[in-house]
Amino acid sequence: MGTVVERERKYSGDEGFRLPDLTGCGGVVTMSDAAVSDLDAVYWDTDDLLLLRSGHALRRRTGGHDAGWHLKVGAVGGARVEHQFPAGASDDGPPPELVALIRGASRGRPVAPAARVVNRRREHRLLGADGRVLAEVSEDDVRSEDLVDGTARTWHEIEIELVEGDEELLDALGERLRAAGAREVAVSKSHRAVAGRIERFDDREPDGPAGPVLAYVRAQRDAIVGNHAAAYQGNEDAVHDMRVATRRLRTTLRTFRGLWDRRESEAVRAELRRLGGELGRVRDTQVMAARLTEAVHELPDELVLGPVAARIGERFAADLAEATTALRSALDSRSYPALLTRLDRLAGAPPADVGRRWMDRRVRKAVRRADGRLDRALATTGPDGDAALHEARKKLKAARYAVEVREAAGKHAARLVKRFKALQDLLGTHQDSVVTREVLRRRALQAYADGENTFTYGLLHARQAEAAGHDRPAVLRARDRSRHRKVRRWLNP
């Protein structure tokens, strides 16, 4: 299975629209003659179009240079990740490898043919002065059929896809197309094919005092779903973003827990904790491997005694393989789509009837709790102080996420979010040092047992301890900045 990142934009042209000459746009010096191909794609989805509604498109396409199964993840107009899988002798359904990647978006439910899109494509390559292909521009005459209700549609579409060009080229090409009468469209061909059915689903933003909380819950649920495919494959950024989303959800359900049935919200929090734990094993291993590898490479060669880099690489490769297998098992489990379904209900059901003052009190309480925990941690010394700072960092995250909800409501909370983030990052660096020192201690003990030199491990340990000692003054300054009257004035209107 191959994976590519698409950067494209789509435009619609009225009958009679003619593609203009695109040379001179963003370094384009040559526009090739059109290569014509016929494409025939069947899009698969759940009966209520969960894939399309979550920014996924699963299709089986014939014709063109990349015939086969494709899964696209991401919104039209931005960077979209496309997972490609070759067509098989019998394509009665998507291959298991792709089914695993849509498990979050589909909530584990079966998919079936939803729409057919037939396309006569005329494709031009746009070349730079050095002969590199900067982008491809396609004119598509499209015919679609909704395979459920039978609705047929036709339209003319222009698609620009970057190859070796940049966003500035996309902007320049778009300006030329709009000048020729084209209009940018923000939906995919599959979305247009089932437009009548997809409009029946009410995905409007919630309103009322609790509206920002529900919108925040939806956004974090969508982040889990949107990162599922890449996280399943071990992508570091996707694992990180998915883990952060589980944390935000757990914290939000606790901070504003009076909005939902207590038993249900606590059950969801427990499931999120388990999922976050598996994501954390993968992410922490990735981060620690990179951190220690970089630390060893920064040392002069004469201070690296023994196969330190090799041992670190071997140990973390084994740990990462084990953690990734466990994560995939969690994402393949029945409890994972069940968790997302429960989140759907929490995000969509009318919450308890609360007022704005109740919401504000919950935010202020989270901030006060973080302030108190940090002050107590800074007054604690020794190993207990490290643990206390780690707990204070957790409370700061909870306060930051609560303030983010207020920020989403349009209030002046952005500066406080930024300053909490700076403070949280400093405490995170300190905690990374604590964890790294423990890892180095264990590695040194193993090296000693294996008869290897432990000098380098000790040196790295000492450097980590020294760096941690520099954090405290910066933490104190960041704490004071986060408590400045101007950034907190809105908390007490």
Side-chain angles (χ1 to χ4, degrees):
M1 181 165 57
T3 301
V4 297
V5 177
E6 288 186 343
R7 292 176 296 165
E8 63 182 20
R9 292 183 190 171
K10 296 177 181 292
Y11 297 83
S12 180
D14 295 331
E15 185 176 353
F17 174 85
R18 294 291 181 268
L19 187 68
D21 181 10
L22 298 174
T23 57
C25 290
V28 175
V29 299
T30 303
M31 181 173 175
S32 73
D33 293 334
V36 181
S37 58
D38 291 307
L39 310 175
D40 190 339
V42 173
Y43 288 84
W44 292 60
D45 211 325
T46 61
D47 56 3
D48 53 355
L49 303 173
L50 279 172
L51 298 190
L52 277 176
R53 290 162 58 196
S54 60
H56 292 59
L58 175 64
R59 72 186 178 199
R60 165 69 167 84
R61 190 168 77 180
T62 58
H65 60 84
D66 59 350
W69 286 95
H70 304 154
L71 170 64
K72 293 188 178 186
V73 181
V76 171
R80 305 180 79 194
V81 178
E82 180 175 310
H83 306 272
Q84 302 174 341
F85 198 87
S90 175
D91 283 322
D92 295 332
E97 292 87 346
L98 285 182
V99 172
L101 300 187
I102 64 170
R103 191 168 174 76
S106 70
R107 309 301 193 264
R109 291 162 50 187
V111 294
R116 183 185 181 194
V117 175
V118 179
N119 181 15
R120 165 60 65 92
R121 168 164 290 181
R122 296 180 297 279
E123 186 173 76
H124 304 263
R125 294 189 302 166
L126 305 181
L127 286 70
D130 56 2
R132 291 182 302 127
V133 179
L134 302 179
E136 294 174 344
V137 177
S138 303
E139 291 185 275
D140 296 336
D141 293 318
V142 186
R143 291 183 291 112
S144 73
E145 179 187 3
D146 186 319
L147 298 178
V148 174
D149 67 14
T151 301
R153 291 180 172 82
T154 61
W155 67 91
H156 185 69
E157 185 172 290
I158 303 95
E159 183 176 293
I160 308 173
E161 182 175 346
L162 289 181
V163 180
E164 295 189 57
D166 55 22
E167 295 293 325
E168 290 184 0
L169 173 60
L170 275 180
D171 292 339
L173 292 171
E175 184 177 350
R176 182 74 60 89
L177 288 175
R178 286 190 294 271
R183 302 179 306 278
E184 188 168 357
V185 294
V187 295
S188 63
K189 292 181 178 67
S190 53
H191 193 287
R192 294 178 75 167
V194 297
R197 280 198 292 144
I198 207 167
E199 289 175 356
R200 302 171 194 166
F201 298 99
D202 183 8
D203 291 327
R204 292 174 300 177
E205 287 295 314
D207 54 14
V213 179
L214 297 186
Y216 195 77
V217 169
R218 289 184 182 186
Q220 305 317 313
R221 174 206 59 192
D222 293 346
I224 292 176
V225 172
N227 285 288
H228 167 94
Y232 191 90
Q233 296 177 315
N235 178 275
E236 293 187 12
D237 290 338
V239 170
H240 170 72
D241 291 346
M242 197 171 180
R243 182 191 191 187
V244 170
T246 64
R247 285 174 168 171
R248 283 187 164 121
L249 280 168
R250 284 178 54 206
T251 299
T252 301
L253 292 176
R254 184 182 187 279
T255 300
F256 302 99
R257 57 189 173 191
L259 295 177
W260 302 277
D261 176 80
R262 183 72 169 269
R263 181 177 299 178
E264 177 65 7
S265 64
E266 287 302 308
V268 171
R269 289 187 71 242
E271 290 296 320
L272 287 166
R273 183 181 298 109
R274 279 189 280 271
L275 175 59
E278 299 298 347
L279 290 161
R281 286 183 60 195
V282 175
R283 181 59 181 161
D284 290 345
T285 304
Q286 292 170 335
V287 170
M288 188 58 63
R291 183 182 178 91
L292 286 180
T293 299
E294 181 181 5
V296 173
H297 287 165
E298 288 177 349
L299 291 175
D301 291 343
E302 63 270 20
L303 296 182
V304 181
L305 306 183
V308 179
R311 293 292 181 263
I312 289 173
E314 292 167 1
R315 179 65 266 165
F316 282 110
D319 290 347
L320 183 58
E322 181 181 340
T324 300
T325 298
L327 173 59
R328 287 179 176 170
S329 178
L331 297 178
D332 285 333
S333 69
R334 293 182 179 180
S335 62
Y336 171 65
L339 165 63
L340 293 172
T341 300
R342 297 174 89 170
L343 280 171
D344 291 339
R345 288 196 293 266
L346 288 178
D353 185 15
V354 299
R356 177 65 173 275
R357 294 179 64 183
W358 183 91
M359 297 287 296
D360 289 347
R361 284 198 302 271
R362 303 303 298 177
V363 176
R364 288 196 294 270
K365 184 176 180 180
V367 171
R368 287 197 302 269
R369 186 183 294 119
D371 288 345
R373 184 62 65 92
L374 179 59
D375 288 343
R376 290 193 295 274
L378 290 171
T380 307
T381 59
D384 290 342
D386 291 336
L389 285 174
H390 182 48
E391 291 303 314
R393 179 172 175 245
K394 293 180 182 179
K395 295 300 182 185
L396 277 167
K397 285 181 180 180
R400 174 187 157 201
Y401 299 154
V403 174
E404 283 179 348
V405 172
R406 277 291 304 266
E407 183 183 6
K411 295 301 177 182
H412 304 292
R415 284 193 298 176
L416 183 55
V417 168
K418 185 177 180 180
R419 294 190 184 185
F420 273 155
K421 176 67 164 55
L423 181 54
Q424 176 188 318
D425 286 346
L426 286 169
L427 294 176
T429 299
H430 179 86
Q431 178 63 14
D432 287 345
S433 170
V434 173
V435 175
T436 302
R437 278 179 275 162
E438 177 57 24
V439 170
L440 286 167
R441 188 186 71 83
R442 293 199 302 267
R443 292 292 93 217
L445 290 173
Q446 185 61 53
Y448 180 81
D450 293 338
E452 296 174 355
N453 196 307
T454 63
F455 169 83
T456 302
Y457 296 105
L459 177 61
L460 291 171
H461 189 285
R463 289 192 171 189
Q464 289 292 324
E466 181 183 11
H470 295 159
D471 290 345
R472 187 178 181 86
V475 169
L476 292 172
R477 289 193 298 271
R479 179 199 63 180
D480 293 343
R481 283 176 55 80
S482 75
R483 297 182 185 180
H484 196 282
R485 185 175 60 86
K486 287 184 178 180
V487 299
R488 294 204 178 190
R489 186 164 45 201
W490 59 272
L491 279 171
N492 296 289

